[in-house]
Amino acid sequence: MSSIRHLMKQAQEMQEKLQRELAETVVEASVGGGMVTVEMNGHKKLASVKIDPEVMDPEDPSMIEDLILAAVNEANRRVDETLQDKVGSLAASMPGLF
C-alpha cells in the first residue's frame, strides 16, 4: 500500500510542477511576416497582441481578422507542443511513476 501512496505523491508533485511551469511559459507566434504577433501563456490565455499599423486597412478588415486568427491558432499549437515536451520531461524524471 505504501508504494501506491508513493506513486500518488509523485503524480501530485508532477502535476504541481507542470502547473507552475505552464504558468511561467509564454509562447510567441508571428504571421504575415511579422504583421501580427501574439503571446500566449501556458494556460492558453492571450497575453498580448501586436499589429503592425501598416496592415490596418479600414476597407478590408478581413485581412487583419485572418492574420489574428492564424497567429492565435499558431500560438495555441506551440503551447500544445510545449506542454507535450514538459510532460515528457517530467515523466522521464519520475521513472517509477510510468
Side-chain angles (χ1 to χ4, degrees):
M1 203 53 134
S2 72
S3 65
I4 291 174
R5 281 192 210 121
H6 179 70
L7 288 176
M8 294 295 286
K9 183 178 179 188
Q10 277 188 313
Q12 183 179 2
E13 288 171 0
M14 186 174 86
Q15 182 179 13
E16 289 169 359
K17 182 176 180 181
L18 182 61
Q19 290 298 322
R20 282 191 307 273
E21 287 185 14
L22 285 176
E24 296 170 359
T25 297
V26 176
V27 299
E28 181 178 284
S30 187
V31 297
M35 287 192 249
V36 174
T37 302
V38 299
E39 289 183 347
M40 182 178 284
N41 71 20
H43 295 293
K44 295 186 177 182
K45 293 188 179 191
L46 283 178
S48 73
V49 177
K50 296 175 187 149
I51 302 169
D52 183 336
E54 292 182 23
V55 77
M56 292 188 207
D57 180 0
E59 302 298 318
D60 185 17
S62 65
M63 186 170 106
I64 189 98
E65 292 166 353
D66 290 344
L67 288 170
I68 291 169
L69 184 63
V72 169
N73 286 336
E74 177 62 16
N76 195 2
R77 186 190 67 74
R78 290 182 184 184
V79 168
D80 287 342
E81 266 182 10
T82 301
L83 176 60
Q84 286 179 339
D85 291 345
K86 288 185 183 301
V87 168
S89 295
L90 284 173
S93 71
M94 297 181 165
L97 190 57
F98 296 99

